[in-house]
Amino acid sequence: MKKSKAFKWALFLAVVAVWATGCSNTNSNAGESAAAGQPTQNPFEADGQETAILGSIGHSFANPPLDENGNILPLEYNGGELKIDYSVRASGKAKNVGFLVFVDGQPQPYKFNSSDAPYEYMHIFDLTEDDKDTPFAFVFTPVTGKKGDILQVSIASVYNPAFIPDMKKTASYGGYQTTLEAGRPLVFNRDADPLDVSSIPRQEVLSHVRLSTEPVTQELLEKHSIMGQVDMEALDKNVYSDLYIEGDVRQDHFQIERSGTLHVAFKLFGHPGMRYRNTFYLNHKALAGKDGISFETALTKGDVTVIDAELELEKLEDFNTFYVVSVPLNADDFPDDVVVLMKTPSLLLYKGSEQSGR
């Protein structure tokens, strides 16, 4: 399957499938459409093998200019704030939507529709009508870019980002918060203007970030052999990831202390030669530390790339949506492979109530 990085409709069908709630991301199932797991009888917890269509969402660049061959032209930056006209339509349970934006894999805060709006890493809104195009605009000064650069702008929708389990009625995200990406090159006709740091939302929660590698083990391959056999040959084309909390892969939720630190580790392996820029997110905001805000990793055959970090718990809220987004930096080097943005399943980090004891 060939990928189209210049322009595409991002189409998402929320299909209930019990396996989708716990699987790791792979580049083989994350192309122009994606599936999310969710049981019919309970919108938040997987139970059984029945399937149902919950809704759909699609988004694209609005009215992009074409060249003489009908191909979409790149975006252009000429100084100041860049405005990207965009359009989204959705139906059913997919009408609560948020967007993450990246420039060359770096998380890009943006304003919604107007220069007077605040910068956020994600703006969340509710669409009012089924299957109706809703126009809007991303407005931002790029976080990176020099004159002559051609960098990729990646835009990822997040399905129902407003949802968060409350550990009373619900304890799982189910298939919610699945992403789907559209992208387009951005040509810099001049250097990006300096971005006022004070205008960017900043969560300085990360500390002691460490990058390393470890060998792929047979145990790891067997762990990912859920929908099919994963062996060393499969790693030549596919990419897999895991998010560890205190040494184990956690599903759905994890109770944390009110103070101290929490050890997290993100592991990425597969497709040799692929480079990714990885960002930790808490409540849909990019996490920062003295080591930076995103971390580049390069995949090599037979190795797992590891990003270890500590989260400072005093800075977390009582209920927190936690995940990692990995944006490919050199997908064009592999034109015959499907290589797209990846997100780990959302994980609830919650602080127990001192009064209720939960």
Side-chain angles (χ1 to χ4, degrees), residues 332-353:
D332 289 339
D333 293 345
F334 305 94
D336 295 327
D337 300 332
V338 179
V339 181
V340 296
L341 175 149
M342 297 167 51
K343 171 188 170 294
T344 61
S346 291
L347 176 71
L348 176 70
L349 299 179
Y350 73 101
K351 298 179 179 180
S353 170

Side-chain angles (χ1 to χ4, degrees), residues 152-189:
Q152 184 74 8
V153 173
S154 300
I155 298 174
S157 61
V158 178
Y159 160 55
N160 202 5
F163 175 76
I164 188 169
D166 59 11
M167 294 307 295
K168 292 180 180 179
K169 296 180 180 179
T170 61
S172 168
Y173 292 87
Y176 287 166
Q177 304 196 4
T178 302
T179 59
L180 201 64
E181 174 198 14
R184 191 170 163 193
L186 173 60
V187 176
F188 285 80
N189 296 324

Side-chain angles (χ1 to χ4, degrees), residues 9 58-62 85-89 99 132-136:
W9 261 98
H59 53 91
S60 69
F61 297 92
D85 292 318
Y86 214 72
S87 180
V88 60
R89 68 161 57 196
F99 287 93
K132 180 179 179 181
D133 289 333
T134 300
F136 66 99

